[in-house]
Amino acid sequence: MSDTISLPTADDVLHGVDLTGRTAIVTGASSGVGVAIAAALAGAGAEVALAVRDMAAGRDVSERIAASRGVAPPAVEQVDLLSMASVRAFAERWGSRPLDLLINNAGLMGPPLTMTKDGFESQMAVNYFAPFLLSELLLPSLAAAREGSGIGRVVIVSSGSHQLATLDTDDLNYERRAYDKFEAYGHAKLCANLLAVEYSRRHAEVGVTMNAVTPGGVETKLGRHVTFEDAVKLGWVNEDGSLPQGRMKTAAEGAATPVWAAVAPELEGQGGLYLEDCAIAPIWAPPMPSGWGVSASSLDPDAARLLWQVAEGLLRKSGLKKVGCF
């Protein structure tokens, strides 16, 4: 891939698409790819809610989107994805309003081992448990949008790093096994892929789907826990700082695939997919580079069912007596 190759942006994906009257929630919309997703959706006419941890940063983004896109400032809602109580409170504030698009964009990568108050390893909390819970709690609103000829789609941002891990449903939160921060990141993203598979199967009757997407390599605050030495060791960059494949994407380019997952007519009724570069990703096999395509194991329906059952039990143990529509 040439360093100068032109890549599609979220605005390119939405060219000619009118989202007037549609509603969308974008988590992690205070920086990086989340801002680009929210701005593009708002620019196409959608009513967007920025779901953020830092309200001041969220309000700043909202004002910038309004000024640059000529739209009303998007709503800013507080949610801390490290807290399942905060996720539930956010969903309760949303209430019964129809919801066309839920973009689970927020992520956490590579911190030291940290356990949340709910007993979840922090990367699993942000990248898997919180999107799981939020997507279930908002299912009635997504289904209501579908009933009203709306969109009713869920997107969960994953990563090619899912290939770094093998599913371990016996110890999702690293209570007994050794913790490697990047294996743990990959494990959380592998779980995100499997969530899309089982969520779509369970909710096929109401027409609500979930697909996992990778934005590709984008330099954002997500990498704040990653050193240059880490990146070289993982093969993400060469020792001279160049990339093994292509170039880093801009935030607008990274937002293209999540937005494509949200609006592409060819994905109507299709869930449980892993999307890459605005296409359904191929199953990884040699000689494909590591991190490209999708591992077959991360889309396995039997593993997806088992993981759902285990995760539901852990959410109940965390003190949530009722999880979504269970």
Side-chain angles (χ1 to χ4, degrees):
M1 184 185 295
S2 168
D3 287 346
T4 59
I5 190 169
S6 177
L7 299 173
T9 66
D11 285 329
D12 293 330
V13 170
L14 289 171
H15 180 71
V17 176
D18 184 4
L19 295 178
T20 301
R22 307 302 187 194
T23 54
I25 294 171
V26 182
T27 68
S30 60
S31 66
V33 173
V35 173
I37 293 171
L41 293 174
E47 181 182 338
V48 181
L50 312 179
V52 300
R53 187 178 184 183
D54 184 334
M55 288 294 287
R59 285 189 286 267
D60 179 66
V61 168
S62 176
E63 292 171 3
R64 285 192 280 120
I65 288 175
S68 65
R69 300 287 176 153
V71 297
V76 183
E77 292 282 351
Q78 202 278 334
V79 63
D80 182 355
L81 300 183
L82 289 167
S83 164
M84 299 306 111
S86 179
V87 172
R88 179 172 290 282
F90 171 85
E92 289 176 350
R93 290 197 305 273
W94 184 265
S96 60
R97 287 177 286 168
L99 176 63
D100 289 277
L101 301 170
L102 171 59
I103 314 294
N104 290 298
N105 161 78
L108 178 63
M109 178 173 69
L113 177 60
T114 308
M115 305 301 288
T116 71
K117 290 182 178 180
D118 299 299
F120 301 143
E121 185 272 318
S122 61
Q123 295 190 85
M124 282 294 293
V126 172
N127 299 318
Y128 175 69
F129 282 109
F132 184 135
L133 180 59
L134 184 62
S135 300
E136 274 295 285
L137 292 172
L138 292 176
L139 177 65
S141 290
L142 290 156
R146 288 288 298 180
E147 291 174 5
S149 300
I151 299 174
R153 293 186 191 182
V154 184
V155 177
I156 185 165
V157 172
S158 183
S159 165
S161 293
H162 74 269
Q163 296 178 14
L164 297 173
T166 300
L167 181 66
D168 186 341
T169 55
D170 292 328
D171 190 12
L172 290 178
N173 293 300
Y174 296 84
E175 295 170 302
R176 295 177 297 279
R177 58 188 170 127
Y179 176 80
D180 174 275
K181 63 183 183 179
F182 294 114
E183 186 278 336
Y185 176 68
H187 192 259
K189 293 303 188 179
L190 182 154
C191 290
N193 293 358
L194 292 168
L195 175 61
V197 173
E198 182 65 1
Y199 186 93
S200 297
R201 185 191 73 82
R202 285 177 176 253
H203 303 314
E205 288 188 2
V206 295
V208 176
T209 59
M210 179 190 292
N211 286 308
V213 308
T214 175
V218 187
E219 188 171 354
T220 68
K221 291 181 180 179
L222 178 66
R224 62 187 177 276
H225 298 290
V226 182
T227 67
F228 180 75
E229 289 74 20
D230 288 333
V232 171
K233 182 179 179 180
L234 290 163
W236 294 349
V237 299
N238 299 320
E239 291 188 358
D240 63 0
S242 63
L243 299 186
Q245 298 282 333
R247 63 169 173 81
M248 294 292 281
K249 293 181 178 180
T250 66
E253 291 168 343
T257 302
V259 168
W260 183 75
V263 303
E266 56 265 46
L267 294 177
E268 174 61 29
Q270 295 195 69
L273 305 173
Y274 180 87
L275 310 176
E276 179 178 52
D277 292 334
C278 298
I280 299 173
I283 300 297
W284 184 89
M288 290 175 64
S290 176
W292 294 71
V294 61
S295 66
S297 61
S298 75
L299 298 179
D300 179 77
D302 293 330
R305 289 189 190 95
L306 174 61
L307 175 61
W308 182 287
Q309 292 166 0
V310 172
E312 178 187 350
L314 291 173
L315 282 165
R316 289 185 187 279
K317 286 182 180 179
S318 75
L320 299 172
K321 296 181 180 179
K322 183 175 187 297
V323 181
C325 299
F326 299 146

